[in-house]
């Protein structure tokens, strides 16, 4: 079938990913697709070759595009990546036949304000607020302008549903079915003693929740913000606002994709 669709291929530098990209490019061209040499913002499809880390970096590097995206896993955990290098032919024929669905997920954004200005940070999995030295931090956490708790501990992690299987899960947070669009606040080593009281479990919030975090004054200069593994250092942080974004990531899903069997096969 002739097609004039354009595909962006993004890959990491591992040999298998580079070889897979060459093979994929040749197969796409022989199926009538145009493969862009540089990232085309108007392309019809992004194919990411690598692991979840490559996937996250590729989307972040192109400002979380709405172009449908699919991942080819070349030997990592591969929670986002759905197909293997051996399944390229099957994928192309299913994509040609429109035999796929689009699963949307929502990134989140944080506005980090210091005494001087405010900066935006976006992420797909999570935003972590923690101390940049090995000291306890104290945070006031508000939801929709209501003070929910004075947190004391290593920090907090705010995860999307998509990110629930990543750092959130390792930190004792809940795995969330992707059909539920929620935000989850997961404590990192919360202190729960006579001196300090913090929730020890995650809090699950609806999609429109507005989370606000105020660091205790003395700790303003010792916070580290980490979005999907990328560190952001700002001094004098006074307030961090976090909510789900209006942007959507559109994942191409083949019929065989099923979230819970994926969780079972990757984690158990
Ligand atoms: P990374 O090496 O790129 O990723 C660490 C591990 O997390 C890799 O095995 C990665 O899969 C996996 N992963 C990423 N997103 C996932 C998701 N949505 N569901 C399940 N597993 C996922 O580490 P990084 O560059 O520091 O940060 C990238 C992500 O890693 C962060 O967003 C964070 O969620 C996660 N991370 C986890 C921990 C932890 O569990 N203790 C600590 C730091 C960061 P691949 O092997 O396929 O790349």
């Amino acid at each position: 079938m002739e097609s004039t669709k354009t595909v962006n291929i993004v890959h990491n530098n591992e040999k298998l990913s580079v070889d897979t990209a060459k093979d994929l490019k040749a197969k796409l061209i022989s199926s009538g697709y145009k493969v862009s040499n540089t990232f085309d913002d108007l392309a019809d499809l992004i194919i990411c070759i690598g692991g979840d880390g490559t996937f996250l970096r590729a989307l972040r590097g192109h400002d979380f595009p709405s172009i449908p995206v699919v991942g080819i896993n070349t030997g990592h955990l591969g929670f986002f990546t759905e197909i293997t290098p051996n399944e390229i032919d099957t994928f192309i024929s299913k994509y040609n036949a429109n035999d796929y669905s689009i699963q949307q997920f929502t990134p989140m954004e944080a506005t980090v304000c210091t005494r001087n200005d405010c900066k935006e940070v976006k992420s797909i999995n999570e935003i972590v607020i923690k101390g940049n030295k090995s000291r306890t931090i104290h945070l006031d956490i508000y939801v929709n302008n209501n003070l929910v708790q004075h947190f004391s501990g290593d920090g907090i992690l705010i995860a999307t549903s998509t990110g629930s299987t990543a750092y959130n899960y390792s930190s004792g947070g809940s795995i969330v079915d992707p059909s539920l669009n929620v935000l989850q606040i997961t404590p990192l080593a919360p202190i729960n003693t006579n001196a300090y009281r913090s929730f020890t479990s995650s809090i699950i919030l609806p999609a429109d929740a507005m989370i606000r975090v105020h660091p205790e004054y003395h700790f303003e200069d010792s916070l580290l913000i980490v979005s999907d593994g990328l560190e952001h250092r700002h001094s004098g942080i006074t307030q961090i606002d976090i909510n789900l974004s209006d942007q959507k990531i559109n994942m191409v899903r083949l019929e065989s994709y099923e979230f819970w069997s994926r969780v079972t096969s990757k984690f158990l």
Side-chain angles (χ1 to χ4, degrees):
M1 187 194 82
E2 274 301 302
S3 165
T4 52
K5 287 185 172 176
T6 301
V7 180
N8 290 318
I9 300 177
V10 185
H11 60 86
N12 64 21
N13 290 327
E14 285 176 28
K15 187 174 182 309
L16 180 57
S17 304
V18 174
D19 292 347
T20 303
K22 277 190 199 142
D23 182 36
L24 173 68
K25 184 173 179 181
K27 286 179 170 166
L28 285 170
I29 290 171
S30 72
S31 301
Y33 290 87
K34 184 172 169 251
V35 177
S36 186
N37 288 328
T38 53
F39 192 91
D40 182 342
D41 290 324
L42 300 175
D44 301 278
L45 177 67
I46 303 168
I47 304 181
C48 261
I49 306 170
D52 294 327
T54 308
F55 181 90
L56 292 169
R57 280 187 289 279
L59 295 192
R60 181 169 62 220
H62 299 285
D63 195 26
F64 305 88
S66 58
I67 303 168
V69 56
V70 69
I72 299 180
N73 188 14
T74 52
H76 298 260
L77 175 72
F79 205 80
F80 287 112
T81 51
E82 188 176 338
I83 46 184
T84 67
N86 297 332
E87 293 167 334
I88 288 176
D89 292 325
T90 313
F91 171 75
I92 294 176
S93 71
K94 288 192 181 234
Y95 186 74
N96 271 339
N98 287 324
D99 188 8
Y100 62 88
S101 59
I102 296 288
Q103 181 189 39
Q104 284 199 322
F105 60 81
T106 315
M108 72 182 152
E109 54 199 18
T111 307
V112 182
C113 293
T114 66
R115 287 185 289 270
N116 302 319
D117 61 358
C118 294
K119 294 241 161 57
E120 285 249 312
V121 173
K122 290 183 195 166
S123 72
I124 289 175
N125 276 342
E126 77 285 301
I127 287 173
V128 179
I129 302 171
K130 60 181 187 178
N132 70 355
K133 305 191 176 79
S134 301
R135 292 197 60 196
T136 307
I137 59 165
H138 304 278
L139 306 169
D140 283 342
I141 303 172
Y142 294 79
V143 176
N144 301 334
N145 289 321
N146 298 306
L147 180 63
V148 173
Q149 66 168 321
H150 300 285
F151 172 87
S152 298
D154 281 3
I156 58 169
L157 180 158
I158 297 137
T160 58
S161 300
T162 311
S164 67
T165 48
Y167 196 177
N168 172 70
Y169 176 61
S170 313
S171 308
S174 297
I175 295 180
V176 178
D177 188 284
S179 62
L180 303 172
N181 197 19
V182 299
L183 281 167
Q184 178 168 183
I185 306 177
T186 297
L188 301 175
I191 303 181
N192 200 23
T193 63
N194 288 345
Y196 300 112
R197 291 269 170 218
S198 307
F199 285 130
T200 53
S201 70
S202 292
I203 300 172
I204 310 263
L205 299 166
D208 60 356
M210 309 289 282
I211 300 168
R212 173 163 289 177
V213 177
H214 283 294
E216 196 172 274
Y217 176 69
H218 306 288
F219 295 90
E220 279 180 3
D221 284 327
S222 59
L223 286 189
L224 181 62
I225 313 291
V226 191
S227 63
D228 294 344
L230 183 72
E231 292 186 349
H232 306 265
R233 290 172 191 273
H234 308 274
S235 47
I237 293 176
T238 52
Q239 179 173 303
I240 304 157
D241 286 322
I242 298 153
N243 50 265
L244 284 174
S245 162
D246 292 331
Q247 286 175 274
K248 295 282 177 204
I249 304 295
N250 291 296
M251 291 292 297
V252 174
R253 295 296 190 201
L254 300 180
E255 203 194 333
S256 52
Y257 179 84
E258 207 280 309
F259 176 77
W260 286 103
S261 58
R262 207 165 172 75
V263 170
T264 311
S265 67
K266 299 280 178 187
F267 295 162
L268 295 182

